[in-house]
Amino acid sequence: MNLGLSDKDIAFREEVRAFLRDNLTPELAAAGKKATSVFVEPEYTLAWQKELHAKGWAAPSWPEAYGGPGWTEMQRYIFASECAIAGAPPLAPMGLNMVGPCIIGYGTPEQKAFFLPRLLAGDDYWCQGYSEPQSGSDLASLSLKAERDDDHYILNGSKIWTTHAHHANRMFCLVRTDHTGKPQQGITFLLLEMSAPGITVDPIITLAGEHELNQVFFDDVRVPVSGRLGEENDGWTVAKYLLEFERSGGSSAGLEAALNRLRAHVLESGLEEPGLRTRLETTAILLDAIRVTEQRIVASLSAGRPPGPAASMLKVQRTEMMQKIDEIAIEAAGPYAAVHEPATWHPESNLDPVGPDALSVAMAKYLNNRAGSIYGGSNEVQRNIMAKAVLGL
């Protein structure tokens, strides 16, 4: 296995850096650096997606036939790393990274022709209708009812923890179309419009005081059968396919950039909290190990080999590393961490925070990122997958 960059990869890295210098505005970079979760407000993500789309770089993982750039695994890794280092805002993952690949894999020709160009251009903003109030982490127990009425499904029930549903104009949604047999066998995957009559979106304010999550209610909502992805009662197959992208997407580059900014602040401010610098360097070593694992997977994918249970392993490592960095940031902020100043979190705010600007969103990130070890399949579930696939338990 060769983890070094080829001359072609080095040239590509320089091309990416030049593009970022020319197109990543200070406002967009500030939005990326002040992000309090993996989701950034659409006014910034869609503006950045427009720049990437014009370059043909909006969907790095898509096949070239559907508008992807035709990059190698290493080029995708380089691109993600350079964007994170530059502070580019992450694009909304629900569309390009999740439902887009599912439409490519399971969509009809008509669905591909309609949705994929809109996804690339940012004409549609998607949310995910998976979790339900009584289901917890047991997704197969979902009960949102979808009854067939000629060429429509009629939906009744609700979804919860629906990120950015208040911004979205479309949702990909799992519904219950059959109550007989195993729970997984009666689930159908639908694509629907959020403007459909009977849909109500109620906000859920997070511990950080932000409106990112929602509960969505469905009251006799009519969804055309043409919006079904895959076969009726076989939505579990599509859902598992999508979860592979949710769990394996991203890289440690964003974590590395956050840790480097935190380290720079600690050194510049001369903080002498006992053990703080030791924790920083210990975390940096652990992050190096994660990066090497990622590069091994990139090498495997480049050789045509699947990552296997490594996707679950990295999901656990990345989310727990994210939480570890958040904890160190809280420690570095000291008493200022408890100061609630959401007005200073805005990328274009002209207000000065009470504490250090570099740590103004430390508490909000800490609170929001506690969910990182739960979403996309809880880390306990991922450890069970590894125990079965690797250890044979």
Side-chain angles (χ1 to χ4, degrees), residues 17 21 107 138 168 176 188 194 226 230 267 330 335:
R17 289 177 177 177
R21 284 195 301 269
D138 181 13
R176 173 69 58 191
T188 298
M194 293 296 288
S226 61
L267 294 176
I330 292 294

Side-chain angles (χ1 to χ4, degrees), residues 46-191:
L46 292 179
W48 181 230
Q49 183 174 335
K50 181 179 179 180
E51 298 292 336
L52 293 171
H53 180 49
K55 181 70 171 175
W57 289 359
S61 63
W62 285 22
E64 197 169 3
Y66 294 106
W71 289 343
T72 65
E73 294 291 339
M74 182 57 76
Q75 286 175 319
R76 287 198 284 268
Y77 183 83
I78 290 170
F79 178 72
S81 298
E82 294 300 325
C83 284
I85 292 169
L91 301 186
M94 299 297 188
L96 291 168
N97 295 348
M98 295 169 68
V99 76
C102 280
I103 293 173
I104 291 173
Y106 289 90
T108 64
E110 293 77 15
Q111 289 171 330
K112 293 176 184 179
F114 178 78
F115 287 114
L116 297 181
R118 297 178 62 84
L119 275 163
L120 288 171
D123 294 335
D124 288 330
Y125 195 85
W126 290 80
C127 61
Q128 180 188 58
Y130 271 26
S131 298
E132 293 187 7
Q134 305 304 319
S135 292
S137 296
D138 181 13
L139 184 58
S141 68
L142 65 90
S143 61
L144 175 63
K145 184 187 298 184
E147 296 181 313
R148 186 73 177 262
D149 180 27
D150 196 18
D151 60 351
H152 283 76
Y153 292 104
I154 301 177
L155 275 56
N156 283 282
S158 72
K159 296 292 182 179
I160 202 167
W161 316 124
T162 315
T163 307
H164 279 198
H166 55 303
H167 293 308
N169 67 313
R170 297 190 187 275
M171 173 190 281
F172 57 92
C173 185
L174 292 179
V175 299
R176 173 69 58 191
T177 44
D178 189 357
H179 291 272
T180 63
K182 293 182 179 180
Q184 293 90 340
Q185 295 174 345
I187 292 173
T188 298
F189 195 110
L190 296 180
L191 310 175

Side-chain angles (χ1 to χ4, degrees), residues 57-346:
W57 289 359
S61 63
W62 285 22
E64 197 169 3
Y66 294 106
W71 289 343
T72 65
E73 294 291 339
M74 182 57 76
Q75 286 175 319
R76 287 198 284 268
Y77 183 83
I78 290 170
F79 178 72
S81 298
E82 294 300 325
C83 284
I85 292 169
L91 301 186
M94 299 297 188
L96 291 168
N97 295 348
M98 295 169 68
V99 76
C102 280
I103 293 173
I104 291 173
Y106 289 90
T108 64
E110 293 77 15
Q111 289 171 330
K112 293 176 184 179
F114 178 78
F115 287 114
L116 297 181
R118 297 178 62 84
L119 275 163
L120 288 171
D123 294 335
D124 288 330
Y125 195 85
W126 290 80
C127 61
Q128 180 188 58
Y130 271 26
S131 298
E132 293 187 7
Q134 305 304 319
S135 292
S137 296
D138 181 13
L139 184 58
S141 68
L142 65 90
S143 61
L144 175 63
K145 184 187 298 184
E147 296 181 313
R148 186 73 177 262
D149 180 27
D150 196 18
D151 60 351
H152 283 76
Y153 292 104
I154 301 177
L155 275 56
N156 283 282
S158 72
K159 296 292 182 179
I160 202 167
W161 316 124
T162 315
T163 307
H164 279 198
H166 55 303
H167 293 308
N169 67 313
R170 297 190 187 275
M171 173 190 281
F172 57 92
C173 185
L174 292 179
V175 299
R176 173 69 58 191
T177 44
D178 189 357
H179 291 272
T180 63
K182 293 182 179 180
Q184 293 90 340
Q185 295 174 345
I187 292 173
T188 298
F189 195 110
L190 296 180
L191 310 175
L192 58 89
E193 294 187 21
M194 293 296 288
S195 60
I199 292 180
T200 303
V201 179
D202 281 358
I204 297 175
I205 306 303
T206 67
L207 283 173
E210 297 179 286
H211 180 195
E212 180 176 289
L213 306 173
N214 304 271
Q215 183 167 6
V216 183
F217 295 90
F218 299 83
D219 184 10
D220 289 334
V221 176
R222 298 181 67 83
V223 178
V225 173
S226 61
R228 187 183 69 217
L229 198 61
E231 298 299 320
E232 184 170 295
N233 297 326
D234 193 35
W236 190 251
T237 301
V238 184
K240 288 192 297 182
Y241 183 72
L242 185 144
L243 279 171
E244 291 179 12
F245 290 94
E246 183 174 0
R247 290 169 182 169
S248 62
S251 73
S252 62
L255 299 176
E256 186 175 3
L259 184 63
N260 286 339
R261 287 193 289 268
L262 179 56
R263 180 196 280 123
H265 168 74
V266 169
L267 294 176
E268 290 170 5
S269 60
L271 286 174
E272 297 294 342
E273 293 293 328
L276 180 59
R277 295 190 185 182
T278 299
R279 290 185 65 194
L280 274 170
E281 300 312 316
T282 301
T283 302
I285 293 170
L286 295 174
L287 192 52
D288 282 341
I290 295 176
R291 186 171 62 252
V292 170
T293 301
E294 288 178 341
Q295 291 173 342
R296 285 179 178 273
I297 291 175
V298 167
S300 294
L301 292 171
S302 299
R305 297 189 297 271
S312 291
M313 179 177 69
L314 280 178
K315 195 275 179 179
V316 172
Q317 290 180 316
R318 287 172 184 155
T319 53
E320 293 184 356
M321 176 59 68
M322 174 176 67
Q323 293 170 348
K324 187 183 296 290
I325 293 172
D326 290 339
E327 291 170 1
I328 298 173
I330 292 294
E331 183 179 348
Y336 296 115
V339 179
H340 186 64
E341 297 180 290
T344 66
W345 304 345
H346 194 279

Side-chain angles (χ1 to χ4, degrees), residues 25-42:
T25 66
E27 292 78 18
L28 291 174
K33 292 174 182 176
K34 287 205 168 187
T36 57
S37 78
V38 295
F39 288 85
V40 177
E41 291 298 294

